[in-house]
Amino acid sequence: MIRMALTKGRIEEKALEMLSACGYDVSELEPDRRGRKLFFRVGNADIEIVLAKAADVITYVSHGVCDAGIVGKDTIMESDGRFHELLDLNFGRCRFALAGPAGKYDEFRRGYGHKIIASKYPRVTKNYFDSLGSDVEIVKIEGSVELAPLLGLSDAIVDIVETGSTLKANGLEVWEDVARISARLIANVASVKLKKAEIDPLAAALETRIED
Ligand code: PRP
């Protein structure tokens, strides 16, 4: 038996579609059958599925209470958990970008002054600016990070961009691409060895259903 943690919401929907296309019976998770349950059995395989918030998927897999998980690269990049990333499932695609007020990029890059960057992802932001050798101040924001430059709290933001419409609606634009994001299959370090017989077929099945 393996237990897999699935990120609730957008990722869950597409992941269940993929699992179903692989032949796994995930009918217990159908909206009209699931109720408030968080624990489910795959009907025709020794797999148990739990639904969790993205950051918790990583916590459960790192601690080994779940053997595998499906979670976004955004959450993986922000985490410091220990696990293996087995597959890029190539759905839920978007990107991390550095963005700021439209037309102000040159000013931002030229300026030697102290720069403040707002983000829901301080670790991703720090790693990015460290990689550029730039020292910036990072302010952690919990909600709509686009507000920070509009309010004058920050010079720029690092955030998830999918269509770009949120940025545009707020007079902001992408300045630099930071990283590509998509859903990933992850696994606990010990489970990869101890439950190889269960995890390998799951990964192999999912791999055949990855779309371009
Ligand atoms: C993300 C991100 C942006 C928005 C970008 O938020 O923080 O606000 O999506 O998408 P767009 O480029 O298509 O406009 P999300 O909707 O995930 O909600 P959140 O604020 O709860 O993270």
Side-chain angles (χ1 to χ4, degrees), residues 27-162:
S27 56
E28 264 202 15
L29 287 106
E30 281 166 11
D32 53 337
R33 287 190 57 188
R34 68 163 65 174
R36 303 288 294 171
K37 278 201 314 185
L38 296 169
F39 248 100
F40 305 88
R41 278 298 302 266
V42 172
N44 55 357
D46 267 348
I47 302 174
E48 200 168 54
I49 293 179
V50 301
L51 294 179
K53 277 189 86 159
D56 298 340
V57 167
I58 290 184
T59 303
Y60 295 142
V61 173
S62 295
H63 285 81
V65 295
C66 290
D67 302 294
I70 296 182
V71 65
K73 184 70 177 176
D74 50 332
T75 311
I76 292 176
M77 287 175 68
E78 190 60 24
S79 82
D80 60 358
R82 233 173 67 78
F83 50 85
H84 288 304
E85 198 179 302
L86 300 183
L87 277 183
D88 179 349
L89 298 170
N90 206 30
F91 68 82
R93 286 193 300 259
C94 49
R95 58 190 165 139
F96 274 125
L98 172 71
K104 295 280 179 72
Y105 181 55
D106 284 347
E107 196 181 305
F108 176 82
R109 270 293 162 219
R110 264 199 324 267
Y112 290 100
H114 183 70
K115 293 292 188 306
I116 302 177
I117 314 295
S119 186
K120 273 185 270 187
Y121 300 87
R123 184 186 173 95
V124 171
T125 306
K126 182 176 186 318
N127 287 340
Y128 180 63
F129 282 97
D130 282 356
S131 76
L132 299 174
S134 304
D135 189 24
V136 296
E137 182 181 338
I138 297 164
V139 181
K140 169 99 196 279
I141 298 290
E142 298 293 339
S144 300
V145 73
E146 295 85 1
L147 261 180
L150 302 178
L151 293 172
L153 174 68
S154 73
D155 300 291
I157 62 175
V158 167
D159 198 20
I160 292 173
V161 178
E162 195 178 346

